[in-house]
Amino acid sequence: MVLAALAEAEAAASAEVALPEDGNKTVDSRQLTVGNFQVKKEGLMSKGLKIALIVVGIILLIGFGTFRWLVSGYNNVIAMDENVKGSWAQVENQLKRRYDLIPNLVETVKGYAKHEQELFKHIADARTKYFQSGTVKDKIEAANGLERVLSRLLLLREAYPQLKANENFLKLQDSLEGTENRIAVERKRYNDAVQILNTYIRTFFGRFFATFAGVSSGEYYEIPEAEKEVPTVKF
């Protein structure tokens, strides 16, 4: 009986020791499950953050590229417009030289052709019209109008042969001839610049940038076909 009681006591003691060990194992398993869930959650959040940063980076890159494209297009159309203006300024320099020569030429001719007062008046009016013109288009029209009457003035040497012997008239003729040649050169450069600008403005994006920059198409300096060979100042 004593031995049986001792065996039961040992069995009970063993059972009490085993129970706490099984309980700890269950607690550790639950803690491991919660830990794994937190790690997975943190991993998903980190992955989402990376994707968000990549998307933001792409948007910023596209925005920067678009900004550079806009700036480049704006600068290009402004540069073309300034080139047209600069070329026209060179044309005006030569036109002014022509108009500075005309009064002296007219005064010389008046000494031999006093009956050409109507022609002299037309020349004076055409010269005044040019300097009163406010736009490039109006100045081109005035310049073409002056060329028509100037050609008539130069042809007076045929009606008044004594003009051909006038030294002052010959010098003015030579100066005018050189000026006309320079006008032709600068006119071509100006028209080339206008062509580049106008061609660009006719493109889809070119029209957008021109509107954005407030740039309009240029005005060609064209001479009517009937006047392309005048004025002729050679003898």
Side-chain angles (χ1 to χ4, degrees), residues 179-194:
T179 300
E180 294 300 324
N181 290 336
R182 284 190 286 270
I183 290 175
V185 172
E186 297 301 339
R187 180 171 55 232
K188 183 180 183 306
R189 290 175 179 172
Y190 167 76
N191 284 336
D192 289 343
V194 169

Side-chain angles (χ1 to χ4, degrees), residues 88 92 99 130 133-144:
W88 174 248
E92 282 201 294
Y99 297 138
Y130 173 83
S133 299
T135 65
V136 172
K137 181 178 180 180
D138 290 341
K139 288 186 176 183
I140 290 174
E141 291 179 356
N144 286 336

Side-chain angles (χ1 to χ4, degrees), residues 39-196:
V39 170
K40 290 181 179 179
K41 183 178 180 181
E42 290 176 356
L44 290 174
M45 291 178 64
S46 177
K47 185 177 180 181
L49 180 61
K50 289 180 179 179
I51 293 174
L53 290 175
I54 291 173
V55 171
V56 171
I58 292 173
I59 292 174
L60 291 176
L61 185 62
I62 293 174
F64 179 70
T66 302
F67 175 76
R68 288 191 61 184
W69 174 69
L70 290 172
V71 171
S72 177
Y74 178 88
N75 290 339
N76 283 340
V77 75
I78 289 295
M80 294 176 191
D81 186 49
E82 289 300 318
N83 187 35
V84 169
K85 291 178 180 178
S87 298
W88 174 248
Q90 293 303 315
V91 172
E92 282 201 294
N93 287 339
Q94 300 307 322
L95 288 175
K96 184 178 182 302
R97 178 181 173 84
R98 172 205 276 174
Y99 297 138
D100 289 342
L101 290 172
I102 287 175
N104 292 332
L105 185 61
V106 169
E107 289 301 319
T108 301
V109 174
K110 277 183 178 181
Y112 299 91
K114 296 180 180 180
H115 301 293
E116 303 292 341
Q117 294 301 319
E118 184 179 357
L119 175 60
F120 300 148
K121 184 179 185 303
H122 287 327
I123 292 175
D125 291 343
R127 186 173 181 271
T128 301
K129 182 180 178 181
Y130 173 83
F131 287 108
Q132 290 180 344
S133 299
T135 65
V136 172
K137 181 178 180 180
D138 290 341
K139 288 186 176 183
I140 290 174
E141 291 179 356
N144 286 336
L146 181 62
E147 287 182 7
R148 286 190 291 269
V149 293
L150 181 58
S151 64
R152 291 173 55 191
L153 177 68
L154 295 173
L155 288 175
L156 289 178
R157 68 179 182 272
E158 302 300 333
Y160 303 92
Q162 58 269 40
L163 277 173
K164 296 181 180 180
N166 186 284
E167 183 178 352
N168 189 44
F169 180 77
L170 294 176
K171 288 181 179 179
L172 290 171
Q173 290 269 25
D174 290 340
S175 297
L176 186 60
E177 179 183 3
T179 300
E180 294 300 324
N181 290 336
R182 284 190 286 270
I183 290 175
V185 172
E186 297 301 339
R187 180 171 55 232
K188 183 180 183 306
R189 290 175 179 172
Y190 167 76
N191 284 336
D192 289 343
V194 169
Q195 182 182 25
I196 292 173

